[in-house]
């Protein structure tokens, strides 16, 4: 590529001592069949155009810990090795790592997750670290992940991380490689573009980390904890005994008076204000829980307990526990209760509303729903994390949030059918929940809330549902 004012070749004084080494990306396998050679890295594959002794030697070297030294001009769009264009093809297709070093020091390694953008030099006067970058410890050093990028970076230690990212000791070759990776950026690009500004670092990282996005191994339902830890049971160990049992529910009676699904969907809306003159009663609360969250079936497969409830759950794990903060329900004492879906009853957690953390939970529910009067019932949805994280890697928490969403929709539709007021809350205080229940927040805490009660007389149907 010719040198121009807008596309300069790297001219850092440190460039002469800098080096690039190429290697096969993690989890790349070579499959051979009937004279044909295929590189495989699930879910992708690439058939090699030819297979001969030279190609075999090159791939062997690329797969070795030392890798293959490449011309630093590769980042300018030049060739990687003389006499063959295979390394360039594999690099441009996302099959190779790139390790940059200065003298005997190992700077960092680029780990591709998808095909990289075109190799071309960039001139950025004062590049900054991307606002989306996240640095996390790893078994082999430190990983820097920029969720919007095509790759992750592996640093051997914090000293090299600081040197490469902070600037003064960074070589021109390292800077150009970081710009290509999208880790260093022109700060104006992220400041003035809505696509970047709308994402906080943790939200974008969580989004990509809970999707596949080309990262090697350890994703999905791997049952990674099998053999190391016993599977958490369907019902929590050591839970308080049920002291309130709801009346049996007659399915025929419900079916005879229920709305159609279309009508329930059309009539569904968020109702925040409750009627304390005619509050929810214990029987109707029991019907609501029976129709939304009771345990219909429990079974064990390969040592793991699975369940079935009225709403769907990935892998049938049903990790979400329901805690009810009851302020005003006829026939039921105020306080914090845990719903037992197997016995269809309530177990006490905190009696009354006098405990400071229970009182604070009630104030939080009213504040989050933007109403002055506290709700009759606050349903707190609290996953037992081990139930799902024992099986799933990377994506487990995202699956929990989806479960909370489908449970909320189920509750909305049942509340609409029963003529009750329901309103999901957009945020809650998990720390308050943990203190009020005494549960370890690493094992179980709230991630979703819904208000439930009887609708205030002033509530009217709105043409645009909330």
């Amino acid at each position: 590529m010719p040198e121009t004012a807008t596309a300069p070749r790297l001219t850092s004084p440190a460039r002469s001592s800098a080096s690039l080494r190429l290697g096969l990306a993690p989890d790349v396998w070579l499959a051979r069949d009937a004279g044909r050679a295929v590189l495989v890295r699930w879910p992708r594959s690439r058939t090699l155009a030819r297979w001969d002794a030279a190609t075999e030697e090159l791939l062997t070297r690329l797969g070795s810990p030392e890798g293959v030294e490449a011309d630093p001009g590769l980042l300018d769009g030049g060739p990687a090795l003389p006499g063959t264009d295979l390394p360039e093809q594999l690099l441009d297709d996302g099959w190779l790592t790139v390790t940059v070093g200065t003298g005997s020091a190992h700077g960092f390694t680029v780990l591709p997750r998808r095909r990289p953008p075109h190799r071309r030099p960039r001139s950025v006067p004062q590049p900054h670290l991307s606002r989306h970058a996240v640095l996390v410890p790893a078994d082999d050093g430190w990983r820097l992940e920029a969720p919007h990028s095509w790759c992750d970076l592996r640093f051997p230690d914090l000293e090299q991380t600081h040197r490469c990212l902070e600037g003064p000791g960074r070589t021109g070759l390292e800077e150009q490689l970081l710009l290509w990776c999208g880790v260093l950026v022109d700060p104006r690009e992220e400041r003035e573009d809505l696509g970047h500004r709308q994402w906080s670092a943790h939200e974008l990282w969580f989004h990509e980390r809970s999707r596949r996005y080309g990262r090697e191994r350890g994703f999905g339902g791997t049952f990674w904890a099998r053999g190391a830890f016993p599977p958490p049971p369907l019902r929590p160990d050591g839970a308080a005994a049920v002291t309130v049992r709801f009346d049996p529910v007659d399915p025929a009676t419900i079916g005879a008076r229920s709305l159609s699904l279309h009508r329930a969907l059309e009539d569904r809306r968020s109702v925040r204000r409750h009627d304390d003159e005619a509050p929810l009663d214990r029987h109707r609360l029991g019907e609501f829980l029976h129709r939304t969250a009771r345990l219909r079936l429990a079974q064990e497969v390969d040592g793991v307990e699975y369940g079935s409830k009225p709403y769907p759950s990935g892998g049938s794990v049903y990790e979400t526990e329901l805690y009810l903060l009851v302020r005003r329900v006829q026939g039921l004492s105020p306080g914090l209760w845990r719903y037992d879906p197997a016995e269809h009853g309530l177990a006490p957690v905190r009696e009354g509303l006098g405990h400071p953390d229970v009182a604070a939970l009630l104030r939080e529910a009213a504040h989050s729903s933007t109403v002055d009067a506290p709700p009759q019932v606050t349903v707190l949805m609290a996953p037992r994390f081990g139930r799902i994280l024992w099986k799933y890697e990377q994506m487990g928490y995202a699956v929990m949030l989806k479960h909370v969403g489908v449970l909320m929709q189920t509750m909305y539709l049942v509340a609409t059918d029963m003529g009750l007021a329901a309103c999901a809350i957009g945020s809650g205080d998990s720390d308050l929940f943990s203190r009020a229940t005494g549960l370890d927040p690493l094992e179980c805490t709230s991630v979703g809330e819904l208000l439930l009660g009887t609708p205030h007389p002033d509530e009217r149907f709105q043409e645009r549902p909330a």
Side-chain angles (χ1 to χ4, degrees):
M1 183 176 184
E3 297 184 34
T4 66
T6 58
R9 293 184 67 85
L10 300 177
T11 57
S12 166
R15 181 172 181 178
S16 60
S17 61
S19 65
L20 288 181
R21 302 196 75 85
L22 304 179
L24 286 178
D27 292 343
V28 173
W29 299 88
L30 176 65
R32 293 181 58 192
D33 178 38
R36 190 175 60 133
V38 180
L39 291 178
V40 179
R41 190 189 190 202
W42 196 91
R44 296 181 58 207
S45 65
R46 178 189 175 105
T47 301
L48 300 179
R50 68 176 183 272
W51 182 257
D52 52 26
T55 303
E56 182 176 12
E57 180 188 2
L58 176 59
L59 288 176
T60 300
R61 292 169 58 203
L62 287 170
S64 68
E66 297 78 18
V68 174
E69 186 168 356
D71 188 329
L74 177 69
L75 296 184
D76 296 349
L81 297 174
T84 175
D85 59 359
L86 181 58
E88 297 162 54
Q89 294 176 10
L90 295 180
L91 179 64
D92 293 340
D93 201 27
W95 292 91
L96 298 184
T97 63
V98 182
T99 299
V100 62
T102 304
S104 60
H106 172 177
F108 58 89
T109 297
V110 178
L111 304 167
R113 293 190 282 111
R114 51 182 176 261
R115 292 182 179 91
H118 180 65
R119 289 177 284 122
R120 65 183 186 278
R122 293 190 63 193
S123 179
V124 178
Q126 292 182 316
H128 284 204
L129 181 65
S130 169
R131 65 192 296 268
H132 304 306
V134 177
L135 185 67
V136 294
D139 292 339
D140 50 2
W142 291 81
R143 290 282 186 108
L144 188 137
E145 301 180 6
H148 62 296
S149 177
W150 57 274
C151 61
D152 296 333
L153 302 183
R154 180 177 65 216
F155 290 87
D157 51 51
L158 285 176
E159 180 181 356
Q160 290 295 331
T161 306
H162 183 267
R163 180 187 65 78
C164 292
L165 299 181
E166 288 300 307
R170 183 171 63 223
T171 69
L173 186 63
E174 289 168 335
E175 182 168 302
Q176 197 65 22
L177 188 54
L178 291 170
L179 285 167
W180 185 39
C181 294
V183 170
L184 292 183
V185 298
D186 184 338
R188 294 172 301 176
E189 295 177 1
E190 294 188 341
R191 187 171 59 244
E192 299 172 2
D193 178 66
L194 175 62
H196 285 281
R197 287 285 298 277
Q198 66 190 356
W199 286 101
S200 64
H202 77 280
E203 287 176 310
L204 186 56
W205 189 48
F206 167 72
H207 165 66
E208 286 213 357
R209 262 295 176 179
S210 58
R211 309 294 291 176
R212 192 173 299 279
Y213 276 101
R215 287 187 173 87
E216 74 277 8
R217 69 171 70 96
F219 184 89
T222 62
F223 289 92
W224 67 272
R226 188 185 293 279
F229 302 95
L234 187 60
R235 300 177 68 182
D237 291 325
V242 168
T243 60
V244 173
R245 285 181 169 79
F246 293 111
D247 298 333
V249 175
D250 180 15
T253 301
I254 294 175
R257 59 172 166 78
S258 283
L259 301 173
S260 68
L261 175 61
H262 170 74
R263 188 71 268 155
L265 285 166
E266 289 299 307
D267 289 354
R268 192 242 21 110
R269 62 192 180 101
S270 295
V271 179
R272 294 167 172 81
R273 300 172 61 204
H274 296 165
D275 183 7
D276 278 357
E277 298 299 317
L280 188 63
D281 62 41
R282 173 172 155 176
H283 176 75
R284 298 189 79 198
L285 177 60
E287 179 185 331
F288 174 83
L289 293 170
H290 173 91
R291 297 175 64 180
T292 58
R294 80 186 188 281
L295 184 65
R296 302 185 298 194
L297 174 70
Q299 59 182 339
E300 182 177 315
V301 179
D302 294 332
V304 182
E305 294 180 350
Y306 299 98
S308 173
K309 296 182 182 181
Y311 65 94
S313 175
S316 298
V317 295
Y318 289 100
E319 75 286 349
T320 306
E321 298 281 323
L322 296 186
Y323 287 78
L324 275 60
L325 178 54
V326 174
R327 180 186 66 86
R328 186 168 173 78
V329 173
Q330 293 183 39
L332 186 60
S333 300
L336 184 60
W337 301 81
R338 184 186 69 84
Y339 175 61
D340 189 317
E343 297 192 37
H344 189 47
L346 298 177
V349 179
R350 298 280 185 184
E351 295 184 3
L353 304 175
H355 189 280
D357 292 322
V358 173
L361 271 179
L362 189 59
R363 291 194 301 270
E364 172 73 19
H367 176 75
S368 297
S369 61
T370 67
V371 294
D372 296 329
Q376 293 174 7
V377 177
T378 305
V379 181
L380 300 119
M381 304 172 197
R384 290 167 50 226
F385 300 124
R387 275 290 295 168
I388 194 164
L389 297 182
W390 184 88
K391 173 182 177 180
Y392 292 99
E393 292 188 73
Q394 305 293 337
M395 58 178 284
Y397 189 75
V399 173
M400 292 183 220
L401 296 183
K402 295 168 186 175
H403 291 165
V404 167
V406 298
L407 178 54
M408 283 182 174
Q409 173 71 336
T410 301
M411 289 183 168
Y412 260 120
L413 294 179
V414 171
T416 301
D417 187 45
M418 295 179 64
L420 299 178
C423 178
I425 305 177
S427 64
D429 193 325
S430 297
D431 186 47
L432 272 179
F433 175 88
S434 298
R435 297 204 304 266
T437 59
L439 296 172
D440 184 342
L442 292 179
E443 296 180 0
C444 178
T445 194
S446 58
V447 300
E449 295 82 16
L450 181 134
L451 309 184
L452 185 70
T454 51
H456 191 277
D458 292 342
E459 294 287 349
R460 295 290 183 267
F461 178 78
Q462 302 170 358
E463 288 299 324
R464 181 182 299 171

